[in-house]
Structures are given as C-alpha cells and as structure tokens.
PDB file of all heavy atoms in Angstrom:
ATOM      1  N   VAL A   2     128.420 102.657 110.788  1.00  0.00           N
ATOM      2  CA  VAL A   2     127.540 101.967 109.853  1.00  0.00           C
ATOM      3  C   VAL A   2     126.361 102.917 109.675  1.00  0.00           C
ATOM      4  O   VAL A   2     125.871 103.671 110.607  1.00  0.00           O
ATOM      5  CB  VAL A   2     127.092 100.596 110.401  1.00  0.00           C
ATOM      6  CG1 VAL A   2     126.268 100.715 111.726  1.00  0.00           C
ATOM      7  CG2 VAL A   2     126.199  99.824 109.365  1.00  0.00           C
ATOM      8  N   TYR A   3     125.694 102.814 108.444  1.00  0.00           N
ATOM      9  CA  TYR A   3     124.599 103.743 108.033  1.00  0.00           C
ATOM     10  C   TYR A   3     123.398 102.959 107.713  1.00  0.00           C
ATOM     11  O   TYR A   3     123.466 101.843 107.158  1.00  0.00           O
ATOM     12  CB  TYR A   3     125.095 104.650 106.929  1.00  0.00           C
ATOM     13  CG  TYR A   3     126.314 105.367 107.108  1.00  0.00           C
ATOM     14  CD1 TYR A   3     127.527 104.998 106.664  1.00  0.00           C
ATOM     15  CD2 TYR A   3     126.273 106.640 107.901  1.00  0.00           C
ATOM     16  CE1 TYR A   3     128.728 105.683 106.897  1.00  0.00           C
ATOM     17  CE2 TYR A   3     127.477 107.352 108.068  1.00  0.00           C
ATOM     18  CZ  TYR A   3     128.647 106.847 107.590  1.00  0.00           C
ATOM     19  OH  TYR A   3     129.874 107.618 107.763  1.00  0.00           O
ATOM     20  N   LEU A   4     122.260 103.566 107.857  1.00  0.00           N
ATOM     21  CA  LEU A   4     121.070 103.157 107.244  1.00  0.00           C
ATOM     22  C   LEU A   4     120.355 104.244 106.532  1.00  0.00           C
ATOM     23  O   LEU A   4     119.821 105.127 107.211  1.00  0.00           O
ATOM     24  CB  LEU A   4     120.113 102.527 108.313  1.00  0.00           C
ATOM     25  CG  LEU A   4     118.863 101.891 107.814  1.00  0.00           C
ATOM     26  CD1 LEU A   4     119.168 100.591 107.032  1.00  0.00           C
ATOM     27  CD2 LEU A   4     117.851 101.577 108.924  1.00  0.00           C
ATOM     28  N   GLN A   5     120.404 104.236 105.181  1.00  0.00           N
ATOM     29  CA  GLN A   5     119.750 105.211 104.390  1.00  0.00           C
ATOM     30  C   GLN A   5     118.278 104.793 104.287  1.00  0.00           C
ATOM     31  O   GLN A   5     118.008 103.675 103.705  1.00  0.00           O
ATOM     32  CB  GLN A   5     120.446 105.395 103.019  1.00  0.00           C
ATOM     33  CG  GLN A   5     119.752 106.424 102.104  1.00  0.00           C
ATOM     34  CD  GLN A   5     119.851 107.823 102.647  1.00  0.00           C
ATOM     35  OE1 GLN A   5     120.865 108.294 103.066  1.00  0.00           O
ATOM     36  NE2 GLN A   5     118.688 108.475 102.648  1.00  0.00           N
ATOM     37  N   MET A   6     117.332 105.623 104.643  1.00  0.00           N
ATOM     38  CA  MET A   6     115.942 105.236 104.532  1.00  0.00           C
ATOM     39  C   MET A   6     115.226 106.223 103.635  1.00  0.00           C
ATOM     40  O   MET A   6     115.244 107.472 103.888  1.00  0.00           O
ATOM     41  CB  MET A   6     115.300 105.281 105.961  1.00  0.00           C
ATOM     42  CG  MET A   6     116.105 104.410 106.967  1.00  0.00           C
ATOM     43  SD  MET A   6     115.189 104.369 108.575  1.00  0.00           S
ATOM     44  CE  MET A   6     115.520 106.060 109.128  1.00  0.00           C
ATOM     45  N   ASN A   7     114.706 105.768 102.570  1.00  0.00           N
ATOM     46  CA  ASN A   7     114.014 106.547 101.623  1.00  0.00           C
ATOM     47  C   ASN A   7     112.524 106.119 101.568  1.00  0.00           C
ATOM     48  O   ASN A   7     112.103 105.010 102.010  1.00  0.00           O
ATOM     49  CB  ASN A   7     114.611 106.367 100.231  1.00  0.00           C
ATOM     50  CG  ASN A   7     116.044 106.890 100.158  1.00  0.00           C
ATOM     51  OD1 ASN A   7     116.403 107.896 100.828  1.00  0.00           O
ATOM     52  ND2 ASN A   7     116.776 106.223  99.371  1.00  0.00           N
ATOM     53  N   SER A   8     111.684 107.035 101.012  1.00  0.00           N
ATOM     54  CA  SER A   8     110.337 106.705 100.766  1.00  0.00           C
ATOM     55  C   SER A   8     109.640 106.211 102.055  1.00  0.00           C
ATOM     56  O   SER A   8     108.910 105.212 102.100  1.00  0.00           O
ATOM     57  CB  SER A   8     110.069 105.675  99.764  1.00  0.00           C
ATOM     58  OG  SER A   8     110.588 106.056  98.492  1.00  0.00           O
ATOM     59  N   LEU A   9     109.847 106.953 103.148  1.00  0.00           N
ATOM     60  CA  LEU A   9     109.329 106.570 104.485  1.00  0.00           C
ATOM     61  C   LEU A   9     107.851 106.622 104.585  1.00  0.00           C
ATOM     62  O   LEU A   9     107.297 107.523 103.933  1.00  0.00           O
ATOM     63  CB  LEU A   9     110.055 107.403 105.519  1.00  0.00           C
ATOM     64  CG  LEU A   9     111.484 107.161 105.752  1.00  0.00           C
ATOM     65  CD1 LEU A   9     112.192 108.242 106.550  1.00  0.00           C
ATOM     66  CD2 LEU A   9     111.668 105.791 106.665  1.00  0.00           C
ATOM     67  N   THR A  10     107.267 105.717 105.307  1.00  0.00           N
ATOM     68  CA  THR A  10     105.941 105.760 105.564  1.00  0.00           C
ATOM     69  C   THR A  10     105.688 105.674 107.043  1.00  0.00           C
ATOM     70  O   THR A  10     106.625 105.311 107.792  1.00  0.00           O
ATOM     71  CB  THR A  10     105.227 104.529 104.989  1.00  0.00           C
ATOM     72  OG1 THR A  10     105.482 103.325 105.739  1.00  0.00           O
ATOM     73  CG2 THR A  10     105.708 104.276 103.440  1.00  0.00           C
ATOM     74  N   PRO A  11     104.456 106.001 107.543  1.00  0.00           N
ATOM     75  CA  PRO A  11     104.227 105.908 109.011  1.00  0.00           C
ATOM     76  C   PRO A  11     104.500 104.561 109.579  1.00  0.00           C
ATOM     77  O   PRO A  11     104.738 104.494 110.767  1.00  0.00           O
ATOM     78  CB  PRO A  11     102.709 106.342 109.149  1.00  0.00           C
ATOM     79  CG  PRO A  11     102.541 107.218 107.909  1.00  0.00           C
ATOM     80  CD  PRO A  11     103.340 106.654 106.875  1.00  0.00           C
ATOM     81  N   GLU A  12     104.444 103.518 108.791  1.00  0.00           N
ATOM     82  CA  GLU A  12     104.736 102.164 109.300  1.00  0.00           C
ATOM     83  C   GLU A  12     106.152 101.946 109.642  1.00  0.00           C
ATOM     84  O   GLU A  12     106.558 101.047 110.271  1.00  0.00           O
ATOM     85  CB  GLU A  12     104.311 101.099 108.256  1.00  0.00           C
ATOM     86  CG  GLU A  12     102.771 101.128 108.011  1.00  0.00           C
ATOM     87  CD  GLU A  12     101.986 100.827 109.268  1.00  0.00           C
ATOM     88  OE1 GLU A  12     102.395  99.877 110.032  1.00  0.00           O
ATOM     89  OE2 GLU A  12     100.977 101.416 109.537  1.00  0.00           O
ATOM     90  N   ASP A  13     107.060 102.914 109.215  1.00  0.00           N
ATOM     91  CA  ASP A  13     108.413 102.806 109.606  1.00  0.00           C
ATOM     92  C   ASP A  13     108.691 103.485 110.887  1.00  0.00           C
ATOM     93  O   ASP A  13     109.811 103.479 111.368  1.00  0.00           O
ATOM     94  CB  ASP A  13     109.254 103.562 108.505  1.00  0.00           C
ATOM     95  CG  ASP A  13     109.204 102.830 107.183  1.00  0.00           C
ATOM     96  OD1 ASP A  13     109.323 101.585 107.103  1.00  0.00           O
ATOM     97  OD2 ASP A  13     109.056 103.550 106.066  1.00  0.00           O
ATOM     98  N   THR A  14     107.711 104.071 111.489  1.00  0.00           N
ATOM     99  CA  THR A  14     107.926 104.761 112.799  1.00  0.00           C
ATOM    100  C   THR A  14     108.350 103.743 113.832  1.00  0.00           C
ATOM    101  O   THR A  14     107.596 102.740 114.075  1.00  0.00           O
ATOM    102  CB  THR A  14     106.663 105.459 113.207  1.00  0.00           C
ATOM    103  OG1 THR A  14     106.408 106.528 112.314  1.00  0.00           O
ATOM    104  CG2 THR A  14     106.744 106.003 114.593  1.00  0.00           C
ATOM    105  N   ALA A  15     109.487 103.895 114.515  1.00  0.00           N
ATOM    106  CA  ALA A  15     109.924 102.944 115.444  1.00  0.00           C
ATOM    107  C   ALA A  15     111.230 103.513 116.114  1.00  0.00           C
ATOM    108  O   ALA A  15     111.785 104.480 115.576  1.00  0.00           O
ATOM    109  CB  ALA A  15     110.260 101.603 114.815  1.00  0.00           C
ATOM    110  N   GLU A  16     111.664 102.814 117.087  1.00  0.00           N
ATOM    111  CA  GLU A  16     113.029 103.150 117.622  1.00  0.00           C
ATOM    112  C   GLU A  16     113.952 102.173 116.902  1.00  0.00           C
ATOM    113  O   GLU A  16     113.705 101.013 116.816  1.00  0.00           O
ATOM    114  CB  GLU A  16     113.040 102.866 119.165  1.00  0.00           C
ATOM    115  CG  GLU A  16     114.389 103.355 119.745  1.00  0.00           C
ATOM    116  CD  GLU A  16     114.312 103.313 121.267  1.00  0.00           C
ATOM    117  OE1 GLU A  16     113.436 102.756 121.828  1.00  0.00           O
ATOM    118  OE2 GLU A  16     115.299 103.932 121.853  1.00  0.00           O
ATOM    119  N   TYR A  17     115.042 102.733 116.366  1.00  0.00           N
ATOM    120  CA  TYR A  17     115.865 101.954 115.595  1.00  0.00           C
ATOM    121  C   TYR A  17     117.132 101.690 116.397  1.00  0.00           C
ATOM    122  O   TYR A  17     117.822 102.603 116.986  1.00  0.00           O
ATOM    123  CB  TYR A  17     116.276 102.614 114.225  1.00  0.00           C
ATOM    124  CG  TYR A  17     115.190 102.553 113.302  1.00  0.00           C
ATOM    125  CD1 TYR A  17     113.975 103.294 113.386  1.00  0.00           C
ATOM    126  CD2 TYR A  17     115.261 101.792 112.116  1.00  0.00           C
ATOM    127  CE1 TYR A  17     112.950 103.228 112.490  1.00  0.00           C
ATOM    128  CE2 TYR A  17     114.278 101.708 111.192  1.00  0.00           C
ATOM    129  CZ  TYR A  17     113.158 102.371 111.379  1.00  0.00           C
ATOM    130  OH  TYR A  17     112.081 102.291 110.472  1.00  0.00           O
ATOM    131  N   PHE A  18     117.684 100.486 116.359  1.00  0.00           N
ATOM    132  CA  PHE A  18     118.782 100.057 117.169  1.00  0.00           C
ATOM    133  C   PHE A  18     119.935  99.538 116.204  1.00  0.00           C
ATOM    134  O   PHE A  18     119.600  98.762 115.310  1.00  0.00           O
ATOM    135  CB  PHE A  18     118.428  98.906 118.126  1.00  0.00           C
ATOM    136  CG  PHE A  18     117.437  99.314 119.125  1.00  0.00           C
ATOM    137  CD1 PHE A  18     116.086  99.109 118.892  1.00  0.00           C
ATOM    138  CD2 PHE A  18     117.826  99.812 120.402  1.00  0.00           C
ATOM    139  CE1 PHE A  18     115.132  99.477 119.928  1.00  0.00           C
ATOM    140  CE2 PHE A  18     116.946 100.140 121.312  1.00  0.00           C
ATOM    141  CZ  PHE A  18     115.598 100.029 121.050  1.00  0.00           C
ATOM    142  N   CYS A  19     121.118 100.016 116.454  1.00  0.00           N
ATOM    143  CA  CYS A  19     122.230  99.463 115.876  1.00  0.00           C
ATOM    144  C   CYS A  19     122.793  98.271 116.590  1.00  0.00           C
ATOM    145  O   CYS A  19     122.859  98.324 117.794  1.00  0.00           O
ATOM    146  CB  CYS A  19     123.291 100.648 115.741  1.00  0.00           C
ATOM    147  SG  CYS A  19     124.881 100.154 115.019  1.00  0.00           S
ATOM    148  N   THR A  20     123.294  97.352 115.809  1.00  0.00           N
ATOM    149  CA  THR A  20     123.886  96.120 116.454  1.00  0.00           C
ATOM    150  C   THR A  20     125.152  95.701 115.784  1.00  0.00           C
ATOM    151  O   THR A  20     125.431  96.124 114.617  1.00  0.00           O
ATOM    152  CB  THR A  20     122.934  94.999 116.496  1.00  0.00           C
ATOM    153  OG1 THR A  20     122.743  94.534 115.081  1.00  0.00           O
ATOM    154  CG2 THR A  20     121.632  95.255 117.064  1.00  0.00           C
ATOM    155  N   ALA A  21     125.974  95.015 116.585  1.00  0.00           N
ATOM    156  CA  ALA A  21     127.196  94.325 116.001  1.00  0.00           C
ATOM    157  C   ALA A  21     127.153  92.956 116.354  1.00  0.00           C
ATOM    158  O   ALA A  21     126.709  92.627 117.453  1.00  0.00           O
ATOM    159  CB  ALA A  21     128.455  95.019 116.549  1.00  0.00           C
ATOM    160  N   GLY A  22     127.461  92.124 115.353  1.00  0.00           N
ATOM    161  CA  GLY A  22     127.375  90.620 115.605  1.00  0.00           C
ATOM    162  C   GLY A  22     128.081  89.812 114.621  1.00  0.00           C
ATOM    163  O   GLY A  22     129.058  90.217 113.979  1.00  0.00           O
ATOM    164  N   ILE A  23     127.516  88.711 114.365  1.00  0.00           N
ATOM    165  CA  ILE A  23     127.990  87.686 113.518  1.00  0.00           C
ATOM    166  C   ILE A  23     127.054  87.340 112.363  1.00  0.00           C
ATOM    167  O   ILE A  23     125.898  87.144 112.665  1.00  0.00           O
ATOM    168  CB  ILE A  23     128.355  86.375 114.260  1.00  0.00           C
ATOM    169  CG1 ILE A  23     129.395  86.660 115.316  1.00  0.00           C
ATOM    170  CG2 ILE A  23     128.953  85.378 113.276  1.00  0.00           C
ATOM    171  CD1 ILE A  23     130.674  87.186 114.920  1.00  0.00           C
ATOM    172  N   MET A  24     127.561  87.391 111.171  1.00  0.00           N
ATOM    173  CA  MET A  24     126.754  87.045 110.053  1.00  0.00           C
ATOM    174  C   MET A  24     127.278  85.672 109.518  1.00  0.00           C
ATOM    175  O   MET A  24     128.462  85.583 109.131  1.00  0.00           O
ATOM    176  CB  MET A  24     126.845  88.049 108.855  1.00  0.00           C
ATOM    177  CG  MET A  24     125.960  87.720 107.672  1.00  0.00           C
ATOM    178  SD  MET A  24     126.053  88.853 106.326  1.00  0.00           S
ATOM    179  CE  MET A  24     125.050  90.191 107.113  1.00  0.00           C
ATOM    180  N   HIS A  25     126.473  84.701 109.579  1.00  0.00           N
ATOM    181  CA  HIS A  25     126.878  83.318 109.110  1.00  0.00           C
ATOM    182  C   HIS A  25     126.651  83.205 107.505  1.00  0.00           C
ATOM    183  O   HIS A  25     125.926  83.999 107.000  1.00  0.00           O
ATOM    184  CB  HIS A  25     126.064  82.301 109.784  1.00  0.00           C
ATOM    185  CG  HIS A  25     126.309  82.147 111.217  1.00  0.00           C
ATOM    186  ND1 HIS A  25     125.627  82.904 112.129  1.00  0.00           N
ATOM    187  CD2 HIS A  25     127.137  81.401 111.947  1.00  0.00           C
ATOM    188  CE1 HIS A  25     126.033  82.600 113.402  1.00  0.00           C
ATOM    189  NE2 HIS A  25     126.943  81.689 113.317  1.00  0.00           N
ATOM    190  N   TYR A  26     127.389  82.261 107.065  1.00  0.00           N
ATOM    191  CA  TYR A  26     127.240  82.051 105.584  1.00  0.00           C
ATOM    192  C   TYR A  26     125.854  81.600 105.163  1.00  0.00           C
ATOM    193  O   TYR A  26     125.588  81.720 103.975  1.00  0.00           O
ATOM    194  CB  TYR A  26     128.278  80.965 105.136  1.00  0.00           C
ATOM    195  CG  TYR A  26     129.776  81.483 105.245  1.00  0.00           C
ATOM    196  CD1 TYR A  26     130.611  81.055 106.181  1.00  0.00           C
ATOM    197  CD2 TYR A  26     130.202  82.411 104.362  1.00  0.00           C
ATOM    198  CE1 TYR A  26     131.910  81.474 106.258  1.00  0.00           C
ATOM    199  CE2 TYR A  26     131.420  82.877 104.329  1.00  0.00           C
ATOM    200  CZ  TYR A  26     132.411  82.369 105.260  1.00  0.00           C
ATOM    201  OH  TYR A  26     133.559  82.840 105.381  1.00  0.00           O
ATOM    202  N   THR A  27     125.133  81.232 106.085  1.00  0.00           N
ATOM    203  CA  THR A  27     123.694  80.806 105.784  1.00  0.00           C
ATOM    204  C   THR A  27     122.853  82.114 105.655  1.00  0.00           C
ATOM    205  O   THR A  27     121.727  82.004 105.168  1.00  0.00           O
ATOM    206  CB  THR A  27     123.128  80.045 106.886  1.00  0.00           C
ATOM    207  OG1 THR A  27     123.143  80.748 108.043  1.00  0.00           O
ATOM    208  CG2 THR A  27     123.881  78.730 107.086  1.00  0.00           C
TER     209      THR A  27
END
C-alpha cells in the first residue's frame, strides 16, 4: 500500500504508521 504525499508542509511532520484492518460500509 502506498501514500503519495504532495505539497508537504511542516505540519505534516510526524511518524507515519501503516495499518491493516476493516473498513465498514459506514
């Protein structure tokens, strides 16, 4: 899985975590 991040700002500074789980229809 990918996360393309464009137009980055200092507010985007963080540790990024990949997860796997369940997406409900809601």
Side-chain angles (χ1 to χ4, degrees):
V2 64
Y3 305 95
L4 185 68
Q5 178 66 47
M6 305 184 295
N7 299 325
S8 301
L9 286 163
T10 76
E12 295 301 314
D13 296 314
T14 295
E16 188 170 14
Y17 285 71
F18 297 90
C19 175
T20 67
I23 302 297
M24 181 180 289
H25 295 88
Y26 289 108
T27 61

